[in-house]
Amino acid sequence: MTARPGSASPVDPRTTTAWDRLGALASGFDPDLRGWFAADPGRVERLTFTAGDLLVDLSKSLLDQDVLTALLALADEVGLTARRDAMFSGERINVTEGRAVLHTALRLPADASLEVDGHDVVPDVHEVLGRVYDFADQVRSGAWTGVTGERIRTVVNIGIGGSDLGPVMAYEALAPYRLDGLECRFISNIDPTDAALTLQGLDPATTLFIVSSKTFGTLETLTNARLCRSWLLDGLRSAGAIQDGDTAAGEAVAKHFVAVSTALDKVADFGIDPANAFGFWDWVGGRYSIDSAIGTSLVVAIGRDNFAGFLGGMHAMDEHFRTTDLAANVPALMGLLNVWYTNFLGAETHAVLPYAQLLHRFPAYLQQLTMESNGKGVRWDGAPVTTETGEVFWGEPGTNGQHAFYQLIHQGTRLVPADFIAVANPPYPLKDGDVDVHELFLANFFAQTRALAFGKTADEVRAEGTAEEIVSARVFSGNRPTASIMAPSLTPSVLGQLIALYEHITFTQGVVWGIDSFDQWGVELGKQLAQQISPAVAGDATARDQQDASTQALIDYYRSHRR
Ligand code: F6P
């Protein structure tokens, strides 16, 4: 049975032959990575794949040939390739919002074409990209000046969720590619501490704000944008740089504020000149938008050529996912493996452990990508899901994690599949005497994945002369699954490849589970209630009385302690 691309209901994975087969394989599954490696000299070669510049070693996964065959059969039975093709061709697979899902169109080359509702979107994408590049060139060269005529020294991106996490993560990851003398900062949280600390030490005359919001209706972002506008105007006025009055304020805002949004009418209402706004389209999900104009702060930081390389890397991974047979298709294989771990081996979380300091925000970025996409309890046809969905993604860079939570991964009672990510060439090579510190660092990556896979037996512990009473505490079971991802260097292209890899892993899992991975209704209720509770926090007795007893008590505590 193979699903049709536009079929109203997903295939229930539990009704497939492959699901039964996987269930049978899982019952009594007794993984033995030591034995598997010993018996099969071809295992590493067979389970190591390339996608773009990435080398992905899945040999330390809890995978044997029978499981792999069944997972590929599952992909076939749920119609993974048909749905993948539906996404790439612009079908409205985001059904609850009635939208196409075309973040992949944002990285198509200019000579490509892709029609949505009879309209080729590629020229639109490149028209906006060209405007973003021109704007970034002006800021980087100093041609764009603030209201006093001084060049811009700091760009502050104001946004949250997908309008923040991608730009911050990539800005950090591509630090060696940034232009000297031009800093980017990021404000996301509505906690006023975020704006206060981020603006500390900045000169309004040399600061430019990018208000990034797909909807331009997000409370946090609009509140922070207003705070920043007041900070700008108050600062310029008290320095005598501008006069009082609306005209001077409007001129200052025009020089110091630009916006990125799909809602350009709301941008104008906020007082930002539409000429200084960069649009995108409702077929780009917030957590898939780093490659749209939402990446403007990144373009300013790394320049047009490097951003083009970043988009090129994403496109290379898209092409790999779109055209490679599933048996060698890295995002599909990794997504299917996650299904195996989640639905058959009981894993509830998934660690992402970059052995690359510059990727320190990558796990946080992936949390939105994966959990906002697949943390769902209903399928795209509105029926309840029939299986567990959406693991908890988390992680920290190695080696910091080793000295914090790896104990649980090595010896705890839970199965925690982990992705290790590293590059061969460090951005900042340093030596400790004769020792290349990057090599010391990578030795830790290789040691951890080896220890997790192969463990240490009681006999090996005893052979070290360990006292019998603590032997069991020093045994490592092994058979703890990891994927090793390596690349030559953390270039813009490689970063783009990594992001697109995880986008398509997420997609693959969503298809198996029958989920619309592109809506996010689960964040709405809290937003609505915050609006409703806000008057109660400010002292409105009627609004307070409408709350539940616990919420009333918390509000009362706040009001009695607030100085
Ligand atoms: O938290 C929900 C969400 O809609 C995310 O999906 C999105 O990335 C974020 O809010 C920010 O939304 P916007 O870009 O519209 O301000």
Side-chain angles (χ1 to χ4, degrees), residues 339 373-374 380 505-517:
V339 168
S373 295
N374 285 342
W380 70 66
I505 291 171
T506 303
F507 175 81
T508 298
Q509 292 180 244
V511 173
V512 173
W513 292 326
I515 283 174
D516 176 350
S517 298

Side-chain angles (χ1 to χ4, degrees), residues 158-165 212-222 260-262 280 285-289 294 368 372 518-520 522-524 527:
I158 307 168
I160 196 164
S163 301
D164 168 73
L165 286 162
S212 298
S213 175
K214 177 176 168 179
T215 56
F216 227 77
T218 303
L219 179 71
E220 291 88 339
T221 299
L222 294 187
V260 178
S261 186
T262 58
F280 60 115
R287 52 198 174 275
Y288 298 86
S289 65
I294 289 291
Q368 188 199 16
E372 203 171 75
F518 303 99
D519 63 11
Q520 58 284 315
V523 298
E524 292 305 319
K527 287 185 194 172

Side-chain angles (χ1 to χ4, degrees), residues 534-548:
S534 164
V537 179
D540 181 324
T542 313
R544 176 204 172 276
D545 291 346
Q546 287 164 357
Q547 309 306 323
D548 63 90

Side-chain angles (χ1 to χ4, degrees), residues 53-54 166-174 290 298 302 309-311 313-314 358-359 362 365 423 487 489-502:
D53 296 316
L54 307 185
V168 179
M169 179 276 290
Y171 180 75
E172 294 294 314
L174 299 177
I290 171 63
L298 181 65
I302 67 172
F310 174 71
L311 295 179
M314 297 183 109
L358 294 179
L359 287 174
F362 195 53
Y365 173 78
V423 295
S489 305
L490 189 55
T491 59
S493 171
V494 163
L495 181 67
Q497 292 171 45
L498 281 170
I499 294 171
L501 168 66
Y502 279 92

